[in-house]
Amino acid sequence: MNDPWLMLIVSCTVFVIGLLGVVFRKNLLIVLMSVELMLNAVNLSFATFARLHHSLEGQLSVLFVMTVAAAESAVGLGLVIALFRTLKTADSDQIQMLRD
């Protein structure tokens, strides 16, 4: 696992899987997990470049992105639970209340 190109290919693959989950899935929980997958792919690329350049800035960026991702998932999960309790669905196509 010393090859940075391999880690970048894995990072790009994970990011594309998360992007496909955001684009094609309708369930809000799946979309939220796909966004987290995309953030983890960005973390992997930051860590790879930080190791490649022997720099701490990339590792600090990973820490910052992890903090933002934790806050985003907590707020997003709270919103999904609130929407599910009121509308009895987690399908993004069924939510019309946000458009008005």
Side-chain angles (χ1 to χ4, degrees):
M1 284 305 222
N2 232 357
D3 191 20
W5 289 106
L6 179 65
M7 297 307 292
L8 291 176
I9 289 171
V10 170
S11 174
C12 289
T13 305
V14 170
F15 189 85
V16 168
I17 291 170
L19 185 65
L20 291 175
V22 168
V23 171
F24 291 118
R25 293 298 187 146
K26 303 295 182 201
N27 192 340
L28 291 177
L29 288 175
I30 303 292
V31 170
L32 189 63
M33 287 190 307
S34 297
V35 169
E36 292 296 321
L37 200 61
M38 290 167 58
L39 287 172
N40 285 332
V42 170
N43 280 341
L44 183 59
S45 64
F46 276 153
T48 302
F49 283 122
R51 183 172 178 172
L52 185 65
H53 295 293
H54 304 292
S55 174
L56 279 178
E57 285 86 10
Q59 295 172 2
L60 291 175
S61 297
V62 168
L63 184 64
F64 179 71
V65 171
M66 285 174 59
T67 305
V68 171
E72 177 259 335
S73 65
V75 170
L77 187 60
L79 288 173
V80 169
I81 289 173
L83 282 171
F84 185 77
R85 284 184 180 172
T86 58
L87 301 176
K88 303 295 186 232
T89 185
D91 191 8
S92 62
D93 287 340
Q94 300 295 325
I95 299 174
Q96 299 291 327
M97 185 173 59
L98 296 176
R99 293 185 185 173
D100 295 332

